[in-house]
Amino acid sequence: MISSNDFRTGTTIELDGQVWRVVEFLHVKPGKGSAFVRTKLKGVQSGNVVEKTFRAGETMPQALLEKSTLQHTYMEGDDYVFMDMASYEETRLTAKQIGDGRKYLKEGMEVSVVSWNGKPLEVELPNSVVLEVTQTDPGVKGDTATGGTKPAIVETGAQVMVPLFITIGEKIKVDTRTDSYLGRES
């Protein structure tokens, strides 16, 4: 159990049979009446955001999430198949469960899978990945590092804005949280 006084950004709670993550919280102590906690909660499974108010000191069950490192081995139909490298157990996740991060997912990549009560909820990709550029406009003489950007398609099919001097076949580092170019990789 967790008290509403102990809410912090990222805390997970169980409410109405679902897992919710605290996105924002504010302790309010009005001049008249009792204190309360105003929160903004995001549903881990659904992605819905709701605003909810709790009495100060009100307790509710804390969602205990398990995080395991799994390796993406292959795709079968619309399912992504992951393997636990310690027990060689397979886990199948749908594209909806993985979310937008699937555009950076490639075979052999290790990711963290967050699960609750044995059910996988979400996939956490590494903060940055190294991918090869497969399609982009050719660079021209005079292109500089500070000159501007152009779209490039990487090996997983994701589109990233890169500097003008990047060419096809180069490996680049991409931030998976912001979809931004971080630099070249050798």
Side-chain angles (χ1 to χ4, degrees):
M1 298 296 273
I2 187 169
S3 168
S4 61
N5 294 334
D6 297 330
F7 282 176
R8 300 289 174 259
T9 303
T11 303
T12 52
I13 60 171
E14 288 181 42
L15 202 61
D16 303 327
Q18 289 191 345
V19 178
W20 297 87
R21 182 170 283 130
V22 177
V23 179
E24 288 178 19
F25 67 96
L26 178 66
H27 293 277
V28 181
K29 296 178 185 170
K32 195 185 239 180
S34 60
F36 58 91
V37 180
R38 190 176 292 140
T39 62
K40 197 177 272 190
L41 304 171
K42 182 175 184 178
V44 176
Q45 292 109 319
S46 62
N48 297 343
V49 178
V50 296
E51 291 187 15
K52 191 150 177 63
T53 304
F54 298 96
R55 292 186 314 275
E58 183 179 350
T59 58
M60 64 224 40
Q62 183 170 7
L64 297 173
L65 303 179
E66 299 168 13
K67 197 182 268 193
S68 54
T69 302
L70 303 179
Q71 185 180 52
H72 174 49
T73 48
Y74 61 94
M75 279 190 68
E76 187 175 297
D78 292 337
D79 290 347
Y80 292 78
V81 181
F82 294 87
M83 184 170 31
D84 185 337
M85 297 311 285
S87 66
Y88 300 110
E89 232 175 82
E90 282 190 352
T91 303
R92 294 173 184 271
L93 297 175
T94 62
K96 184 181 178 204
Q97 287 175 301
I98 296 171
D100 284 342
R102 68 181 178 274
K103 65 184 172 187
Y104 295 117
L105 200 57
K106 66 179 187 176
E107 290 182 7
M109 180 183 282
E110 288 195 356
V111 296
S112 294
V113 176
V114 179
S115 50
W116 173 64
N117 290 344
K119 293 183 208 145
L121 293 179
E122 61 183 351
V123 173
E124 292 178 358
L125 290 172
N127 292 340
S128 63
V129 292
V130 176
L131 299 168
E132 186 177 327
V133 175
T134 57
Q135 182 182 340
T136 188
D137 295 331
V140 259
K141 190 173 181 175
D143 286 348
T144 61
T146 58
T149 58
K150 63 181 178 180
I153 307 293
V154 293
E155 61 187 294
T156 58
Q159 181 174 325
V160 181
M161 296 305 285
V162 298
L164 296 170
F165 59 82
I166 297 294
T167 58
I168 295 174
E170 283 191 75
K171 291 194 180 291
I172 60 169
K173 195 172 198 176
V174 180
D175 188 327
T176 57
R177 299 162 297 181
T178 61
D179 300 333
S180 60
Y181 166 83
L182 294 175
R184 285 177 168 165
E185 281 291 315
S186 52

